[in-house]
Amino acid sequence: MPVLRKLFPAEWDRYERHLLRLDPHSRLMRFAGNTSDAAITQRCRTLDHGRTVIVGCFVQGELRGAVEIAVDRTLWPRDAELAFSLEAPFQGLGLGAVLMERALTIVRNRRIRRIHMLCLHENRRMRALVRRFGGALTFDGGELLAVFDLPPPNHLSLAVEAMEDGAGAVGAWLSAIAPTERFAA
Ligand SMILES: CC(C)(COP(=O)(O)OP(=O)(O)OC[C@H]1O[C@@H](n2cnc3c(N)ncnc32)[C@H](O)[C@@H]1OP(=O)(O)O)[C@@H](O)C(=O)NCCC(=O)NCCS
């Protein structure tokens, strides 16, 4: 079973290694352009702890997917940006949808009302995900801009995030004591 949980900044080096493992096509889709190893490393090492949340998807203890949530730099941010990544063997299994659902809850619970996301036109999976979760897609200089308008948080959305944090901690503990368990799609 994959385990989804927020990463602590102290383990963001695992996120860097995950991004470096992306095959060329996934890397192109993730960064909407060609990106070198050095650029990925530089980017990961300069991520702003104060405005970034990374939700990781662990399979057998290894980080295989993530959504990076970056909120804008104002004191009371109203906008956020999302970027998804799954290593090729873990694509097309529905994990992107699970990451999307988590990200929307987290962003909504921070009273952020709008999400922006750049996506290459040929990224059919991402386009399908955006549509499924109610985002609007528009052209922006050859790329697609996805925008989600979010409702304010409520008791349920706050409880869901708290439960998911708890489930992530328990899942991490269980996979540490049973690391050989197989991933069932
Ligand atoms: C884009 C990405 C996050 C999607 O996650 P995923 O787990 O692979 O996708 P899912 O299995 O959740 O499927 C998403 C949708 O695409 C559809 N889909 C799956 N395979 C597809 C394919 N080969 N062609 C077209 N659509 C496809 C699914 O039916 C689903 O649609 P639905 O939600 O309407 O049912 C993932 O593939 C990825 O990380 N790709 C590389 C990096 C990237 O593109 N990042 C996005 C930059 S923001």
Side-chain angles (χ1 to χ4, degrees):
M1 278 281 288
V3 172
L4 273 83
R5 65 174 176 84
K6 292 175 190 146
L7 301 189
F8 298 106
E11 53 182 359
W12 282 2
D13 57 324
R14 303 181 76 172
Y15 180 53
E16 177 186 333
R17 290 199 295 277
H18 153 65
L19 291 178
L20 289 170
R21 279 194 298 269
L22 291 177
D23 64 282
H25 182 258
S26 303
R27 203 184 271 206
L28 178 73
M29 294 296 127
R30 164 61 179 81
F31 294 100
N34 293 315
T35 310
S36 66
D37 286 2
I40 290 178
T41 295
Q42 156 83 5
R43 198 182 163 282
C44 288
R45 295 187 185 179
T46 53
L47 281 172
D48 184 341
H49 294 195
R51 62 176 207 111
T52 310
V53 177
I54 299 169
V55 179
C57 174
F58 291 84
V59 181
Q60 293 183 272
E62 194 64 70
L63 184 65
R64 297 300 185 181
V67 54
E68 181 184 319
I69 304 168
V71 299
D72 66 22
R73 289 177 188 276
T74 57
L75 187 56
W76 302 109
R78 293 189 62 82
D79 290 66
E81 200 178 329
L82 302 184
F84 293 83
S85 50
L86 281 164
E87 293 174 31
F90 303 94
Q91 295 175 11
L93 303 175
L95 294 173
V98 184
L99 285 168
M100 175 70 89
E101 203 160 18
R102 294 284 171 104
L104 294 179
T105 303
I106 291 168
V107 174
R108 173 182 178 187
N109 284 344
R110 278 140 193 82
R111 291 199 169 275
I112 290 167
R113 304 304 298 274
R114 188 163 271 234
I115 289 176
H116 307 263
M117 209 171 75
L118 273 181
C119 147
L120 290 183
H121 186 257
E122 59 266 40
N123 198 338
R124 290 166 56 201
R125 282 188 179 139
M126 203 63 242
R127 279 164 42 199
L129 269 186
V130 170
R131 277 195 299 270
R132 176 168 157 193
F133 285 88
L137 283 162
T138 52
F139 267 106
D140 185 51
E143 291 169 338
L144 282 173
L145 176 67
V147 176
F148 294 84
D149 288 315
L150 300 176
N154 60 20
H155 290 92
L156 182 62
S157 68
L158 292 165
V160 165
E161 184 177 348
M163 280 189 299
E164 286 173 345
D165 284 347
V170 172
W173 177 72
L174 286 176
S175 59
I177 61 171
T180 53
E181 193 178 314
R182 291 258 162 245
F183 168 56

Short mmCIF file of all heavy atoms in Angstrom, two decimals, residues 22 25-32 66 82-87 90-99 117-120 123-126 128-129 132-133, ligand 1:
data_model
loop_
_atom_site.label_atom_id
_atom_site.label_comp_id
_atom_site.label_asym_id
_atom_site.label_seq_id
_atom_site.Cartn_x
_atom_site.Cartn_y
_atom_site.Cartn_z
N LEU A 22 13.22 10.98 -12.15
CA LEU A 22 12.19 11.07 -13.20
C LEU A 22 12.83 10.82 -14.57
O LEU A 22 13.90 11.37 -14.86
CB LEU A 22 11.52 12.45 -13.20
CG LEU A 22 10.63 12.81 -12.00
CD1 LEU A 22 10.12 14.25 -12.16
CD2 LEU A 22 9.46 11.84 -11.84
N HIS A 25 10.86 12.08 -20.16
CA HIS A 25 9.52 12.55 -20.51
C HIS A 25 8.79 13.09 -19.27
O HIS A 25 8.20 14.18 -19.31
CB HIS A 25 8.70 11.43 -21.17
CG HIS A 25 7.34 11.88 -21.59
ND1 HIS A 25 6.21 11.57 -20.87
CD2 HIS A 25 6.92 12.64 -22.64
CE1 HIS A 25 5.16 12.12 -21.46
NE2 HIS A 25 5.57 12.77 -22.53
N SER A 26 8.87 12.38 -18.16
CA SER A 26 8.19 12.84 -16.94
C SER A 26 8.81 14.15 -16.45
O SER A 26 8.11 15.04 -15.97
CB SER A 26 8.31 11.79 -15.82
OG SER A 26 7.78 10.57 -16.25
N ARG A 27 10.12 14.25 -16.62
CA ARG A 27 10.82 15.47 -16.20
C ARG A 27 10.35 16.66 -17.05
O ARG A 27 10.11 17.75 -16.54
CB ARG A 27 12.32 15.25 -16.35
CG ARG A 27 13.15 16.16 -15.49
CD ARG A 27 14.62 15.97 -15.76
NE ARG A 27 15.24 14.96 -14.95
CZ ARG A 27 16.53 14.95 -14.64
NH1 ARG A 27 17.32 15.91 -15.07
NH2 ARG A 27 17.04 14.00 -13.90
N LEU A 28 10.22 16.39 -18.34
CA LEU A 28 9.73 17.45 -19.25
C LEU A 28 8.32 17.90 -18.83
O LEU A 28 8.02 19.09 -18.78
CB LEU A 28 9.71 16.90 -20.68
CG LEU A 28 9.20 17.81 -21.77
CD1 LEU A 28 10.21 18.92 -22.08
CD2 LEU A 28 8.91 17.03 -23.05
N MET A 29 7.47 16.92 -18.52
CA MET A 29 6.09 17.25 -18.13
C MET A 29 6.08 17.99 -16.79
O MET A 29 5.33 18.92 -16.58
CB MET A 29 5.24 15.97 -17.99
CG MET A 29 5.01 15.23 -19.27
SD MET A 29 4.04 16.22 -20.43
CE MET A 29 5.06 16.17 -21.85
N ARG A 30 6.92 17.56 -15.87
CA ARG A 30 6.92 18.14 -14.52
C ARG A 30 7.38 19.59 -14.52
O ARG A 30 6.82 20.45 -13.83
CB ARG A 30 7.84 17.29 -13.61
CG ARG A 30 8.29 17.93 -12.29
CD ARG A 30 7.12 18.24 -11.39
NE ARG A 30 7.55 18.81 -10.10
CZ ARG A 30 7.88 20.06 -9.91
NH1 ARG A 30 7.86 20.92 -10.93
NH2 ARG A 30 8.23 20.49 -8.71
N PHE A 31 8.43 19.86 -15.31
CA PHE A 31 9.00 21.22 -15.28
C PHE A 31 8.59 22.05 -16.50
O PHE A 31 9.08 23.17 -16.67
CB PHE A 31 10.53 21.15 -15.18
CG PHE A 31 10.99 20.56 -13.86
CD1 PHE A 31 11.38 19.23 -13.78
CD2 PHE A 31 10.98 21.31 -12.70
CE1 PHE A 31 11.78 18.67 -12.58
CE2 PHE A 31 11.36 20.77 -11.49
CZ PHE A 31 11.76 19.45 -11.42
N ALA A 32 7.71 21.48 -17.35
CA ALA A 32 7.26 22.16 -18.56
C ALA A 32 8.44 22.65 -19.39
O ALA A 32 8.44 23.76 -19.94
CB ALA A 32 6.32 23.32 -18.23
N ALA A 66 5.07 12.89 -5.60
CA ALA A 66 4.90 14.03 -4.69
C ALA A 66 4.05 15.09 -5.34
O ALA A 66 3.91 15.15 -6.58
CB ALA A 66 6.26 14.62 -4.34
N LEU A 82 0.70 24.44 -7.61
CA LEU A 82 0.93 23.00 -7.39
C LEU A 82 1.81 22.44 -8.49
O LEU A 82 1.71 22.87 -9.64
CB LEU A 82 -0.39 22.21 -7.44
CG LEU A 82 -1.51 22.58 -6.47
CD1 LEU A 82 -2.66 21.59 -6.66
CD2 LEU A 82 -1.01 22.55 -5.04
N ALA A 83 2.63 21.44 -8.15
CA ALA A 83 3.39 20.71 -9.17
C ALA A 83 3.46 19.24 -8.75
O ALA A 83 3.85 18.93 -7.63
CB ALA A 83 4.79 21.30 -9.31
N PHE A 84 3.07 18.38 -9.67
CA PHE A 84 2.97 16.95 -9.39
C PHE A 84 4.12 16.19 -10.04
O PHE A 84 4.58 16.56 -11.12
CB PHE A 84 1.67 16.39 -9.95
CG PHE A 84 0.44 16.90 -9.25
CD1 PHE A 84 -0.11 18.12 -9.60
CD2 PHE A 84 -0.15 16.17 -8.24
CE1 PHE A 84 -1.23 18.61 -8.95
CE2 PHE A 84 -1.27 16.64 -7.58
CZ PHE A 84 -1.82 17.87 -7.94
N SER A 85 4.53 15.10 -9.41
CA SER A 85 5.53 14.23 -10.03
C SER A 85 5.33 12.80 -9.55
O SER A 85 5.18 12.56 -8.35
CB SER A 85 6.94 14.70 -9.66
OG SER A 85 7.06 14.88 -8.26
N LEU A 86 5.29 11.88 -10.49
CA LEU A 86 5.27 10.45 -10.17
C LEU A 86 6.30 9.78 -11.08
O LEU A 86 6.36 10.08 -12.28
CB LEU A 86 3.90 9.85 -10.45
CG LEU A 86 2.80 10.10 -9.41
CD1 LEU A 86 1.43 9.79 -10.02
CD2 LEU A 86 3.01 9.24 -8.17
N GLU A 87 7.08 8.88 -10.51
CA GLU A 87 8.03 8.15 -11.34
C GLU A 87 7.24 7.22 -12.28
O GLU A 87 6.16 6.74 -11.92
CB GLU A 87 9.01 7.38 -10.45
CG GLU A 87 9.90 8.34 -9.68
CD GLU A 87 10.79 7.67 -8.65
OE1 GLU A 87 11.20 6.51 -8.85
OE2 GLU A 87 11.07 8.32 -7.62
N PHE A 90 4.87 4.28 -11.59
CA PHE A 90 3.77 4.56 -10.65
C PHE A 90 2.74 5.51 -11.25
O PHE A 90 1.85 6.00 -10.56
CB PHE A 90 4.35 5.09 -9.33
CG PHE A 90 5.35 4.12 -8.75
CD1 PHE A 90 6.70 4.25 -9.02
CD2 PHE A 90 4.92 3.03 -8.01
CE1 PHE A 90 7.62 3.32 -8.55
CE2 PHE A 90 5.82 2.09 -7.54
CZ PHE A 90 7.18 2.23 -7.80
N GLN A 91 2.86 5.78 -12.54
CA GLN A 91 1.87 6.63 -13.23
C GLN A 91 0.71 5.78 -13.73
O GLN A 91 0.85 4.58 -13.95
CB GLN A 91 2.53 7.36 -14.40
CG GLN A 91 3.59 8.35 -13.97
CD GLN A 91 4.33 9.00 -15.14
OE1 GLN A 91 3.93 8.87 -16.28
NE2 GLN A 91 5.42 9.68 -14.83
N GLY A 92 -0.44 6.41 -13.90
CA GLY A 92 -1.60 5.72 -14.47
C GLY A 92 -2.27 4.75 -13.51
O GLY A 92 -3.07 3.92 -13.93
N LEU A 93 -1.96 4.87 -12.23
CA LEU A 93 -2.54 3.96 -11.22
C LEU A 93 -3.52 4.67 -10.29
O LEU A 93 -3.97 4.10 -9.32
CB LEU A 93 -1.42 3.34 -10.37
CG LEU A 93 -0.32 2.57 -11.12
CD1 LEU A 93 0.78 2.12 -10.16
CD2 LEU A 93 -0.93 1.37 -11.83
N GLY A 94 -3.77 5.94 -10.57
CA GLY A 94 -4.70 6.69 -9.72
C GLY A 94 -4.02 7.46 -8.60
O GLY A 94 -4.69 8.14 -7.82
N LEU A 95 -2.67 7.36 -8.50
CA LEU A 95 -2.00 8.06 -7.40
C LEU A 95 -2.04 9.58 -7.58
O LEU A 95 -2.10 10.34 -6.60
CB LEU A 95 -0.55 7.58 -7.27
CG LEU A 95 -0.41 6.11 -6.86
CD1 LEU A 95 1.05 5.66 -6.94
CD2 LEU A 95 -0.94 5.90 -5.44
N GLY A 96 -2.02 10.04 -8.83
CA GLY A 96 -2.11 11.48 -9.09
C GLY A 96 -3.41 12.04 -8.54
O GLY A 96 -3.43 13.14 -7.96
N ALA A 97 -4.50 11.28 -8.67
CA ALA A 97 -5.80 11.75 -8.16
C ALA A 97 -5.76 11.84 -6.63
O ALA A 97 -6.30 12.79 -6.04
CB ALA A 97 -6.90 10.81 -8.61
N VAL A 98 -5.10 10.87 -5.99
CA VAL A 98 -5.02 10.90 -4.51
C VAL A 98 -4.20 12.11 -4.07
O VAL A 98 -4.57 12.83 -3.13
CB VAL A 98 -4.40 9.58 -3.97
CG1 VAL A 98 -4.41 9.58 -2.45
CG2 VAL A 98 -5.16 8.38 -4.49
N LEU A 99 -3.08 12.35 -4.78
CA LEU A 99 -2.26 13.52 -4.43
C LEU A 99 -3.03 14.82 -4.64
O LEU A 99 -2.93 15.77 -3.86
CB LEU A 99 -0.97 13.52 -5.26
CG LEU A 99 0.11 12.51 -4.84
CD1 LEU A 99 1.19 12.41 -5.92
CD2 LEU A 99 0.75 12.90 -3.50
N MET A 117 -1.67 26.39 -11.87
CA MET A 117 -0.79 25.28 -12.22
C MET A 117 -0.48 25.32 -13.70
O MET A 117 -1.40 25.43 -14.51
CB MET A 117 -1.54 23.99 -11.91
CG MET A 117 -0.69 22.85 -11.54
SD MET A 117 -1.78 21.54 -10.96
CE MET A 117 -2.42 21.01 -12.49
N LEU A 118 0.80 25.29 -14.08
CA LEU A 118 1.15 25.28 -15.50
C LEU A 118 1.29 23.84 -15.96
O LEU A 118 1.84 23.00 -15.25
CB LEU A 118 2.47 26.01 -15.73
CG LEU A 118 2.40 27.52 -15.94
CD1 LEU A 118 3.78 28.08 -16.18
CD2 LEU A 118 1.45 27.89 -17.09
N CYS A 119 0.80 23.58 -17.16
CA CYS A 119 0.81 22.19 -17.64
C CYS A 119 0.99 22.21 -19.15
O CYS A 119 0.40 23.06 -19.84
CB CYS A 119 -0.50 21.59 -17.15
SG CYS A 119 -1.30 20.38 -18.13
N LEU A 120 1.84 21.33 -19.66
CA LEU A 120 2.02 21.30 -21.11
C LEU A 120 0.75 20.75 -21.77
O LEU A 120 0.08 19.89 -21.21
CB LEU A 120 3.22 20.42 -21.48
CG LEU A 120 4.60 20.98 -21.11
CD1 LEU A 120 5.69 20.04 -21.60
CD2 LEU A 120 4.81 22.37 -21.70
N ASN A 123 0.04 17.04 -21.99
CA ASN A 123 -0.05 16.27 -20.74
C ASN A 123 -1.50 15.87 -20.48
O ASN A 123 -2.23 16.49 -19.72
CB ASN A 123 0.51 17.10 -19.57
CG ASN A 123 0.85 16.24 -18.37
OD1 ASN A 123 0.33 15.14 -18.22
ND2 ASN A 123 1.73 16.75 -17.52
N ARG A 124 -1.91 14.76 -21.14
CA ARG A 124 -3.33 14.39 -21.10
C ARG A 124 -3.76 13.95 -19.71
O ARG A 124 -4.88 14.21 -19.28
CB ARG A 124 -3.59 13.28 -22.13
CG ARG A 124 -3.47 13.84 -23.55
CD ARG A 124 -3.39 12.76 -24.60
NE ARG A 124 -4.54 11.85 -24.52
CZ ARG A 124 -4.52 10.61 -25.02
NH1 ARG A 124 -3.44 10.15 -25.60
NH2 ARG A 124 -5.58 9.84 -24.95
N ARG A 125 -2.88 13.26 -19.01
CA ARG A 125 -3.26 12.82 -17.65
C ARG A 125 -3.52 14.01 -16.74
O ARG A 125 -4.48 14.03 -15.98
CB ARG A 125 -2.15 11.96 -17.05
CG ARG A 125 -2.15 10.58 -17.59
CD ARG A 125 -1.17 9.70 -16.84
NE ARG A 125 -1.23 8.37 -17.38
CZ ARG A 125 -0.17 7.59 -17.59
NH1 ARG A 125 1.04 8.03 -17.28
NH2 ARG A 125 -0.31 6.39 -18.08
N MET A 126 -2.63 14.99 -16.83
CA MET A 126 -2.80 16.16 -15.95
C MET A 126 -4.06 16.92 -16.33
O MET A 126 -4.81 17.37 -15.45
CB MET A 126 -1.56 17.06 -16.08
CG MET A 126 -1.33 17.96 -14.90
SD MET A 126 -0.99 17.07 -13.37
CE MET A 126 -2.34 17.58 -12.37
N ALA A 128 -6.74 15.66 -17.61
CA ALA A 128 -7.89 14.88 -17.12
C ALA A 128 -8.08 15.10 -15.61
O ALA A 128 -9.20 15.26 -15.13
CB ALA A 128 -7.68 13.40 -17.42
N LEU A 129 -6.95 15.15 -14.90
CA LEU A 129 -7.04 15.35 -13.44
C LEU A 129 -7.63 16.71 -13.10
O LEU A 129 -8.47 16.85 -12.21
CB LEU A 129 -5.65 15.28 -12.81
CG LEU A 129 -5.15 13.93 -12.32
CD1 LEU A 129 -3.82 14.12 -11.60
CD2 LEU A 129 -6.17 13.30 -11.39
N ARG A 132 -11.30 16.66 -13.73
CA ARG A 132 -12.03 15.84 -12.75
C ARG A 132 -12.23 16.56 -11.43
O ARG A 132 -13.23 16.39 -10.75
CB ARG A 132 -11.25 14.54 -12.54
CG ARG A 132 -11.83 13.65 -11.50
CD ARG A 132 -11.18 12.29 -11.58
NE ARG A 132 -11.27 11.59 -10.34
CZ ARG A 132 -10.57 10.50 -10.05
NH1 ARG A 132 -9.74 10.00 -10.94
NH2 ARG A 132 -10.71 9.89 -8.91
N PHE A 133 -11.24 17.39 -11.06
CA PHE A 133 -11.34 18.08 -9.76
C PHE A 133 -11.88 19.50 -9.89
O PHE A 133 -11.74 20.32 -8.99
CB PHE A 133 -9.98 18.05 -9.05
CG PHE A 133 -9.68 16.70 -8.47
CD1 PHE A 133 -9.06 15.73 -9.22
CD2 PHE A 133 -10.09 16.38 -7.18
CE1 PHE A 133 -8.82 14.45 -8.71
CE2 PHE A 133 -9.85 15.12 -6.65
CZ PHE A 133 -9.22 14.16 -7.41
C1 LIG B 1 0.44 13.85 -14.33
C2 LIG B 1 0.44 12.83 -13.19
C3 LIG B 1 0.61 13.52 -11.85
C4 LIG B 1 -0.94 12.12 -13.21
O1 LIG B 1 -0.98 11.16 -12.19
P1 LIG B 1 -1.34 9.64 -12.52
O2 LIG B 1 -1.42 8.88 -11.25
O3 LIG B 1 -0.39 9.13 -13.53
O4 LIG B 1 -2.75 9.81 -13.16
P2 LIG B 1 -4.06 9.04 -12.74
O5 LIG B 1 -3.82 7.55 -12.81
O6 LIG B 1 -4.58 9.61 -11.44
O7 LIG B 1 -5.01 9.45 -13.94
C5 LIG B 1 -5.35 10.78 -14.16
C6 LIG B 1 -6.34 10.86 -15.29
O8 LIG B 1 -5.69 10.59 -16.54
C7 LIG B 1 -6.36 9.55 -17.22
N1 LIG B 1 -5.31 8.78 -17.88
C8 LIG B 1 -4.56 7.79 -17.39
N2 LIG B 1 -3.69 7.35 -18.31
C9 LIG B 1 -3.90 8.10 -19.42
C10 LIG B 1 -3.32 8.16 -20.71
N3 LIG B 1 -2.33 7.34 -21.05
N4 LIG B 1 -3.79 9.09 -21.58
C11 LIG B 1 -4.79 9.93 -21.24
N5 LIG B 1 -5.38 9.94 -20.02
C12 LIG B 1 -4.93 9.02 -19.14
C13 LIG B 1 -7.06 8.74 -16.14
O9 LIG B 1 -8.18 8.05 -16.66
C14 LIG B 1 -7.45 9.83 -15.19
O10 LIG B 1 -8.62 10.47 -15.64
P3 LIG B 1 -9.90 10.57 -14.70
O11 LIG B 1 -9.40 11.31 -13.46
O12 LIG B 1 -10.88 11.34 -15.49
O13 LIG B 1 -10.26 9.15 -14.42
C15 LIG B 1 1.56 11.76 -13.36
O14 LIG B 1 1.30 10.98 -14.52
C16 LIG B 1 2.95 12.39 -13.46
O15 LIG B 1 3.57 12.64 -12.44
N6 LIG B 1 3.46 12.61 -14.69
C17 LIG B 1 4.81 13.17 -14.88
C18 LIG B 1 4.99 14.59 -14.32
C19 LIG B 1 3.86 15.50 -14.70
O16 LIG B 1 3.28 15.39 -15.77
N7 LIG B 1 3.57 16.43 -13.80
C20 LIG B 1 2.53 17.42 -13.98
C21 LIG B 1 3.11 18.79 -13.98
S1 LIG B 1 2.11 19.88 -13.01
#
